[in-house]
Structures are given as C-alpha cells and as structure tokens.
Amino acid sequence: MTQQVYIRGFGFNVPDKIVTNAELEGSVDTSDEWITSRTGIKQRHISEGEVTSDLGAKAARQALADAGIDAADVTHIICATCSPDSYCPNTATQIQHKLGISGCMAFDLNAACSGYLYSLQTARGFISADPDSVVLIVASEVLSVRTNWQDRTTCVLFGDGSGAAVVSADKGENGVEILDALMESDGQYGDLLTILGGGAEHPYKLGDTVDEAFFIQMNGREVYKVAVRSMTQVCQRLMEKSGLTVDDIDVLIPHQANLRIIEAVGKKLGIPEERVFTNVQKYGNTSAASVGIALAEGRTQGDLEPGTLAMVTTFGSGFTWGALLLQF
Ligand code: UT7
C-alpha cells in the first residue's frame, strides 16, 4: 500500500500595497478595460521592501498554526520560487532562520508557476521514505523585482504573494489527503517565458547595467496556447489514472494566471464555471504562490468544505505543468 500523505495546514500572505489597473494606466499605455477583458485581473499586491523569505515566513507561520505543528518539528523546508531573495544562499534557509529554527533540510525548488505542486509531489516522496517527516512547503514570489514596469505586455499580469502548506503522514485535525498527482515538463518551450539575466546563459560583468533580459520576457500568445493544452491534458490523464470523471470533481483549482486560460481549461474539461475556483481578479499571477494562495483562501472562505474533491492544476516557465487530486 502506498503511504497516505496529508496537507495538515494551509497559510498565505500578500503584501499590503495594492496596485489597481487604473494606477497602471498612469505608467504604461494600457487601460483597465484591456487588462480586465484579456486577463480578468483588477488589481495585484506589490511588495514595498519585503523580500521573498519575509512573505514566505508569514505564510509558513499561518500554515504551522493551522496544522497545530511547532516549527521545531519541521524536518524539511521546500521553498518554491523563481524570485528568490538571492542566488545564494537559498531562500528556504532564510525562511527557516526567520521561523527561529535550524537543523532541518532546507532547499529551493524552481519549477516557476508549478512550484507549489512540484513541492507537494516532492514532499510525498520524503514522507514515503520516512513517514515521520513533516515537510513545510513555502511557495513565495516577489516577481515585482523582476518585472519590467515599462513593458505593458507583462507588467499588468504579475503580483507578489506566498502560499504555504504543512505536509505529513499524520492527518491531524483537518488534514486534506493528497490522493494522486502527475507532474510533467517539456524544455522545448523554454524560450517562451524567461528571466535570463544573471544566469550563465546571459551573464553580466562588473559595471554592466541590466538590460531587458534581467526581467520577465514572454511570448504571451504562445504561452496561452501551451498553457490551455497542457493543463487540460494533464487533468484528463490524472483523472484516467485515478479512475475518475469530471463528474467526480467538485472543484477545479487552476493556476491563477489569466481568467481566459482558466475558463478555457474548465470548458475543455467540461467542468462548469461554478465549479472552477478563481481569485486572479484580486492577486494577478503570483507564480508559484498562486494555487497555494487559492487553497488557503478557498478553505478560509468556506469554498473547500470537508468532503470536497478538488483537482489542482498548474503550468509555468520551462514549461512545467502538473495536476493533483485533494480530498478535503
Ligand atoms: O504563468 C504563466 C504566465 N503567462 C501567462 O499566463 C500569459 C498567457 N498569455 C496571455 O494571457 C495573453 O496572451 C496576454 C494577456 C498576455 C495577451 O493577450 P492577447 O489577447 O494574446 O494579446 P496580444 O499579445 O496578441 O496583443 C494584442 C494587442 C497588441 O497590440 P497590436 O499589436 O494588436 O496593436 C499588444 O501590443 O494588445 C496589445 N497589448 C496591450 N494593450 C494594452 C499588449 N499588452 C497590452 C496592455 N494594454 N497591457
């Protein structure tokens, strides 16, 4: 029998500062009407000096409290991010330090917007190897520092935030079982969505000024197509693998990148709108944190009652994508 694994607690955090579409109209050639009709986004939260580990530690404390777990009992910390505090040290160790603990394994995982799901799948592996493991997953992003605020094709899309989960073999009081998962990737799409500057492929030397490659660059149209196709197909494959149909799925929680992508995936899967969770309107695309925020917020606001079967799906730069089934 495979090891049962539960998410025992959820947490999320977003910075206080809200930037509305109307405010962006003042800095780039865009409009609330364009952003709303193309993406569904109305506002995003933007950090004013808080770094990835700050937002992450806040979400982590909430998840630990929700799980009823002391930080000292955590055995692994995985920080899912593509906007780390720094290249080195990793952000997971800085979250660990901010939580006032030391000793446990702590590392970053970069699967872009699929980071939260990839981390859950990784946690399942750790817990299968040692059922006493208590894995803290912190998906945290401050992508605003890697956003070119003069590029209207990207700056309207992203927001900062963090989502956390405590994962263990012990269900605790309100644990949510991870029933099954499928994670996939295909590097042939690497060029479609990038942050190149500073990496080995696009190095800077002392005295260089950063160029556009320092920031997010994206071929939006192509990303859109692959996103819809990959999320739809991985959900279909996961349902088939688990012997489920769309009628069994109470709620679909897709990566909150764009309302049109979310609607297209729901439609292709045959899941009606009222069973598809959205909060992209309030937060924009928070990358790895996106579905972490959705799960934590969804549970707090009563959208994910006990008994609910949820299918979570994500896609991100790489491309990476995946789907996961959760029994609330
Ligand atoms: O986690 C993954 C993150 N990435 C995504 O989720 C992105 C997926 N892609 C998309 O969501 C869509 O492709 C976008 C929302 C990015 C763009 O929507 P679109 O319908 O594909 O528009 P487009 O890129 O084809 O651009 C249409 C027009 C262009 O003008 P012209 O060439 O037709 O004159 C753009 O320059 O819209 C223009 N445009 C804008 N206009 C006002 C692009 N961005 C903006 C903007 N405001 N912010």
Side-chain angles (χ1 to χ4, degrees):
M1 197 184 125
T2 51
Q3 173 68 53
Q4 284 175 299
V5 174
Y6 299 90
I7 304 180
R8 270 183 76 153
F10 296 93
F12 84 99
N13 183 260
V14 287
D16 291 336
K17 185 182 177 188
I18 292 174
V19 176
T20 63
N21 292 348
E23 286 170 271
L24 288 176
E25 284 176 8
S27 53
V28 283
D29 181 14
T30 190
S31 65
D32 175 45
E33 194 282 319
W34 192 96
I35 302 170
T36 306
S37 63
R38 302 286 177 126
T39 72
I41 298 165
K42 298 299 287 182
Q43 61 174 48
R44 67 287 295 144
H45 291 248
I46 299 295
S47 167
E48 292 181 291
E50 280 186 300
V51 295
T52 308
S53 60
D54 292 326
L55 300 184
K58 286 184 179 174
R61 281 187 205 103
Q62 223 181 68
L64 288 164
D66 189 34
I69 294 258
D70 198 284
D73 294 328
V74 169
T75 58
H76 306 70
I77 300 176
I78 308 175
C79 177
T81 188
C82 57
S83 52
D85 288 0
S86 56
Y87 208 77
C88 280
N90 70 35
T91 303
T93 55
Q94 302 314 295
I95 292 171
Q96 181 197 53
H97 186 57
K98 283 174 185 171
L99 293 176
I101 55 173
S102 62
C104 69
M105 180 174 174
F107 66 97
D108 289 4
L109 183 156
N110 182 350
C113 307
S114 298
Y116 185 92
L117 287 197
Y118 267 52
S119 298
L120 284 178
Q121 183 70 324
T122 305
R124 290 177 87 199
F126 285 131
I127 293 163
S128 296
D130 176 2
D132 291 330
S133 302
V134 176
V135 185
L136 173 63
I137 288 169
V138 188
S140 188
E141 301 279 18
V142 180
L143 266 174
S144 55
V145 299
R146 287 289 189 140
T147 299
N148 177 352
W149 290 98
Q150 294 171 20
D151 175 8
R152 68 175 182 172
T153 68
T154 54
C155 76
V156 301
L157 302 175
F158 297 94
D160 299 333
S162 60
V166 177
V167 189
S168 70
D170 183 345
K171 186 173 183 207
E173 269 186 35
N174 302 306
V176 173
E177 187 175 0
I178 303 174
L179 296 179
D180 209 349
L182 258 186
M183 302 296 140
E184 300 174 348
S185 64
D186 189 342
Q188 73 168 299
Y189 302 114
D191 290 345
L192 295 182
L193 179 49
T194 57
I195 303 176
L196 296 171
E201 202 178 309
H202 195 101
Y204 298 115
K205 56 182 189 311
L206 200 63
D208 283 353
T209 49
V210 296
D211 53 13
E212 286 174 351
F214 183 77
F215 303 101
I216 300 167
Q217 292 182 303
M218 182 175 68
N219 178 335
R221 282 218 170 161
E222 289 308 310
V223 173
Y224 187 104
K225 283 187 228 161
V226 189
V228 172
R229 190 171 67 234
S230 57
M231 284 199 288
T232 305
Q233 290 179 352
V234 76
C235 285
Q236 285 164 337
R237 280 198 284 272
L238 180 59
M239 285 188 289
E240 198 179 320
K241 177 173 178 253
S242 310
L244 299 172
T245 71
V246 284
D247 295 334
D248 299 309
I249 308 298
D250 298 307
V251 57
L252 176 71
I253 305 178
H255 173 42
Q256 302 291 307
N258 175 320
L259 201 56
R260 286 194 300 153
I261 295 177
I262 294 170
E263 285 168 358
V265 172
K267 208 167 163 189
K268 279 182 183 289
L269 287 172
I271 299 180
E273 218 175 287
E274 59 277 11
R275 277 163 45 206
V276 180
F277 183 92
T278 65
N279 65 7
V280 66
Q281 303 86 342
K282 290 189 285 181
Y283 304 118
N285 181 350
T286 56
S287 185
S290 153
V291 290
I293 294 174
L295 285 165
E297 186 173 66
R299 194 153 88 152
T300 312
Q301 49 189 46
D303 296 327
L304 301 167
E305 293 289 333
T308 302
L309 181 62
M311 184 160 60
V312 189
T313 184
T314 59
F315 74 95
S317 170
F319 260 52
T320 59
W321 62 88
L324 180 128
L325 289 165
L326 287 178
Q327 180 66 64
F328 280 78

